[in-house]
Amino acid sequence: QVQLVESGGGLVQAGGSLRLSCAASGFNFSINAMNWYRQAPGKQREVVASISSSSRTNYADSVKDRFAISRDNAKKTVYLQMNSLKPEDTAVYYCNSPAFGNNYWGQGTQVTVSS
């Protein structure tokens, strides 16, 4: 079955960096686009970064030029490099494929940015 396991979150000061990882299994990872999402307390889940099967990337305006999404098909892993973090980046971060709709969410990884 599909499994998505996020890791790499933590507490960081504003201006710092974190690298998130998402290990995928149970589906043909290499042919699927992947997204990173985040959900802050009291807010809806939003897409922050996308990567296609051919590694074309797209970013939300709020993270453009600060975050970078990448993938390693051999490791079935998608990454999110987050630089110049801001307190408003505080959220639980999730990965998923848009092909799965609202299914197969992992536990997410908490990112907390202190000011």
Side-chain angles (χ1 to χ4, degrees), residues 18-41:
L18 284 173
R19 188 193 194 204
L20 307 184
S21 299
C22 169
S25 61
F27 64 101
N28 193 340
F29 179 81
S30 64
I31 67 170
N32 276 276
M34 295 295 295
N35 292 344
W36 277 100
Y37 303 78
R38 68 185 180 189
Q39 187 166 21

Side-chain angles (χ1 to χ4, degrees), residues 89-111:
D89 295 320
T90 295
V92 180
Y93 285 71
Y94 304 87
C95 70
N96 209 333
S97 173
F100 298 153
N102 206 30
N103 298 310
Y104 306 125
W105 294 101
Q107 82 289 348
T109 187
Q110 175 71 48
V111 172

Side-chain angles (χ1 to χ4, degrees), residues 23-103:
S25 61
F27 64 101
N28 193 340
F29 179 81
S30 64
I31 67 170
N32 276 276
M34 295 295 295
N35 292 344
W36 277 100
Y37 303 78
R38 68 185 180 189
Q39 187 166 21
K43 294 189 176 181
Q44 286 193 326
R45 190 173 289 166
E46 61 174 348
V47 178
V48 296
S50 304
I51 187 165
S52 72
S53 58
S54 59
S55 294
R56 175 175 289 189
T57 60
N58 197 29
Y59 299 93
D61 287 343
S62 59
V63 306
K64 204 169 289 184
D65 299 325
R66 298 189 298 121
F67 289 11
I69 187 171
S70 60
R71 65 190 298 158
D72 185 332
N73 288 337
K75 294 183 178 179
K76 296 185 179 181
T77 300
V78 60
Y79 303 97
L80 187 67
Q81 177 67 44
M82 305 187 297
N83 300 324
S84 302
L85 282 161
K86 304 176 181 179
E88 51 263 44
D89 295 320
T90 295
V92 180
Y93 285 71
Y94 304 87
C95 70
N96 209 333
S97 173
F100 298 153
N102 206 30
N103 298 310

